Amino acid sequence: MKVVIALLIFLACLVLSSTVAQSSTADPTFCDPKCAVRCSKASSDLCLKYCGICCEKCHCVPSGTYGHMGECPCYRDMKNRKGGHKCP
């Protein structure tokens, strides 16, 4: 009986941990279209690269092609090595 209860508790923990792990990663179907809009006027693929990195960490991308950083404070506050904005 104790083994069955221990097995059920273990399985419940396993299910809960996989749910948390899935929710902590950004879905490419969310980030890719948002970054495509954000970088539509950029002449370089670096915009898409950095937008994707920022989107994965922040789970949001500001609307439009420029500005609107207040919509996503995490995106706005990420800095590069030189102290400039990391996210386009």
Side-chain angles (χ1 to χ4, degrees), residues 38 61-73 75-76:
R38 186 79 179 166
V61 176
S63 62
T65 57
Y66 184 79
H68 306 283
M69 293 288 211
E71 295 175 1
C72 186
Y75 192 96
R76 175 195 63 212

Side-chain angles (χ1 to χ4, degrees), residues 57-83:
K57 290 185 180 180
C58 297
H59 306 289
C60 64
V61 176
S63 62
T65 57
Y66 184 79
H68 306 283
M69 293 288 211
E71 295 175 1
C72 186
C74 170
Y75 192 96
R76 175 195 63 212
D77 296 339
M78 287 183 72
K79 304 289 183 198
N80 62 21
R81 286 182 277 151
K82 297 179 182 177

Side-chain angles (χ1 to χ4, degrees), residues 20-59:
V20 170
Q22 286 177 355
S23 65
S24 67
T25 58
D27 184 8
T29 59
F30 173 78
C31 291
D32 290 349
K34 297 270 188 185
C35 287
V37 171
R38 186 79 179 166
C39 297
S40 63
K41 292 187 178 179
S43 60
S44 171
D45 288 335
L46 287 177
C47 182
L48 287 172
K49 175 184 177 181
Y50 287 109
C51 180
I53 290 168
C54 295
C55 180
E56 284 183 27
K57 290 185 180 180
C58 297
H59 306 289

